[in-house]
Amino acid sequence: MTQVAGTLDTYVQKGQREDLQDAIYNISKADTPFISNIGRGKAKAVKHEWQTDALAPADTTNAQLEGDEFSYTQRAGTIRVGNVCQISRKPIIVSGTAEAVDKAGRKSEVKYQSLKAGKELKKDEEAILLSGQASNAGGSTSNGGTNTPRKLGGFPSWLVTNVSRGAGGANGGFNQGTGQVVAPTAGTARAFAESQVKDIQQSCYTAGGNPSMLMMPVAYKRQFSAFPGIAQQRRDTGNKAATIVAAADVYVGDFGPLSAVPNRQFVANRVLMIDPSMVKLAWLRPMQVVKPAQTGDATKRMLLTEYTLEVSNEAAHGTIEDLT
């Protein structure tokens, strides 16, 4: 085909209006299944503490003489544990001009960026809570130390009772001497297997726990669904094409069902077995928008939160570590 000579086309035309759709498409997901499923608590100091306890094992020798004199032994006391409140924040600063100009997809740049930062901050919280970081009491130059931010002990760092680790791996846990949570030591990497799930579920049940959730990084969800036999079936739909079920969302083990939950913010080489009723997100300061004084031709906002993780009793949960 040949263009007619002298045709005015869009390549030379001036004054075309911009075709920019009045919408912004953001594919990044801000889902936080760990935070969404666990409980809520209130911290009242930068060191948040609570107590744990356990019943003594059953005594099969508990048979007494008729008319015997009573005797007494000291009862075991509770165990006091705690975690540190961590401060996380997201800064926003928008020039007066950027707020005033006509914009596509949003009316206020300050409000749009504040909403976006709030979702990012929640993602940060999820990833931090699920990390294997040790707690840190922090410090400042005012007491002769160095300026160090406080850090909470992540959920996997607490777990010492029901654990499956690669060769050379070691538990972290709460240290009664220092009052801090110690990070675990990584072991030799190994493949994720169904036997590990069975072993940890049994260990949790024996310890008195009733976990209901199996939380894992996205890649491990595919490995989980590929366990032999648990997701190999076809669902008859009458005259329509059959549905191939190639994923497992609920694993029914010997000691109860476990919901298999992939987590986009969870990228470590571990799978966690969780009892949501035995872990809480405790806020010293819930997420808030701070409005600093304006010192130039710009609007400032700071999204800020101060929080910690309360692991009510670590023996209620389990972890499978050092996975490839």
Side-chain angles (χ1 to χ4, degrees):
M1 300 293 289
T2 303
Q3 186 184 73
V4 178
T7 301
L8 175 67
D9 59 21
T10 58
Y11 297 103
V12 297
Q13 183 187 40
K14 306 300 181 184
Q16 295 180 40
R17 289 192 178 275
E18 180 184 53
D19 181 14
L20 177 60
Q21 191 167 348
D22 194 21
I24 298 173
Y25 299 98
N26 189 340
I27 195 173
S28 300
K29 299 298 182 183
D31 47 325
T32 51
F34 183 71
I35 290 176
S36 298
N37 282 280
I38 64 176
R40 296 292 183 270
K42 174 64 176 175
K44 297 182 179 180
V46 295
K47 180 68 180 292
H48 179 59
E49 296 183 288
W50 60 97
Q51 298 176 83
T52 65
D53 204 355
L55 299 178
D59 181 4
T60 58
T61 66
N62 193 350
Q64 309 300 331
L65 294 172
E66 181 178 339
D68 192 28
E69 182 67 42
F70 292 151
S71 61
Y72 300 90
T73 56
Q74 187 178 50
R75 301 284 295 174
T78 60
I79 299 174
R80 183 170 173 172
V81 296
N83 209 348
V84 177
C85 287
Q86 179 169 330
I87 301 171
S88 296
R89 68 188 187 193
K90 290 286 181 181
I92 301 159
I93 183 167
V94 177
S95 74
T97 305
E99 181 68 4
V101 297
D102 191 18
K103 297 170 286 292
R106 69 278 194 202
K107 292 182 178 179
S108 169
E109 191 68 35
V110 173
K111 290 182 180 179
Y112 175 74
Q113 293 298 337
S114 296
L115 179 63
K116 183 179 173 182
K119 293 179 179 179
E120 292 171 353
L121 186 54
K122 192 175 180 183
K123 287 175 61 177
D124 289 353
E125 286 184 65
E126 180 89 348
I128 291 167
L129 294 173
L130 289 172
S131 74
Q133 76 176 19
S135 66
N136 190 324
S140 72
T141 55
S142 62
N143 64 352
T146 58
N147 290 323
T148 306
R150 292 190 304 274
K151 288 188 176 182
L152 60 84
F155 183 70
S157 298
W158 279 89
L159 307 183
V160 298
T161 301
N162 311 306
V163 297
S164 173
R165 299 189 184 278
N171 292 337
F174 183 79
N175 185 307
Q176 289 288 341
T178 64
Q180 298 298 327
V181 182
V182 180
T185 302
T188 303
R190 70 265 170 76
F192 184 28
E194 184 179 6
S195 59
Q196 297 159 353
V197 177
K198 289 177 174 291
D199 289 345
I200 293 302
Q201 189 183 30
Q202 178 178 332
S203 180
C204 289
Y205 183 83
T206 302
N210 292 289
S212 61
M213 182 182 300
L214 199 62
M215 187 164 289
M216 61 195 74
V218 174
Y220 294 154
K221 180 59 166 67
R222 290 183 61 182
Q223 295 182 41
F224 174 78
S225 295
F227 286 167
I230 69 171
Q232 298 174 4
Q233 59 175 298
R234 291 175 181 265
R235 186 175 297 157
D236 188 5
T237 55
N239 296 327
K240 299 180 181 179
T243 299
I244 299 175
V245 181
D249 295 321
V250 177
Y251 179 85
V252 181
D254 292 313
F255 306 98
L258 294 166
S259 298
V261 181
N263 191 324
R264 289 184 176 94
Q265 324 311 336
F266 186 24
V267 295
N269 58 340
R270 59 173 55 96
V271 171
L272 297 169
M273 199 171 290
I274 304 168
D275 180 348
S277 69
M278 295 295 285
V279 57
K280 296 177 181 178
L281 171 62
W283 279 302
L284 182 60
R285 289 186 288 172
M287 191 182 296
Q288 54 194 273
V289 180
V290 180
K291 299 179 179 179
Q294 185 168 334
T295 56
D297 184 17
T299 299
K300 301 174 184 176
R301 295 287 185 270
M302 184 65 71
L303 269 73
L304 182 145
T305 184
E306 192 164 2
Y307 60 104
T308 193
L309 185 69
E310 180 182 320
V311 182
S312 304
N313 194 311
E314 63 82 23
H317 316 281
T319 183
I320 302 168
E321 299 279 330
D322 306 317
L323 302 177
T324 54

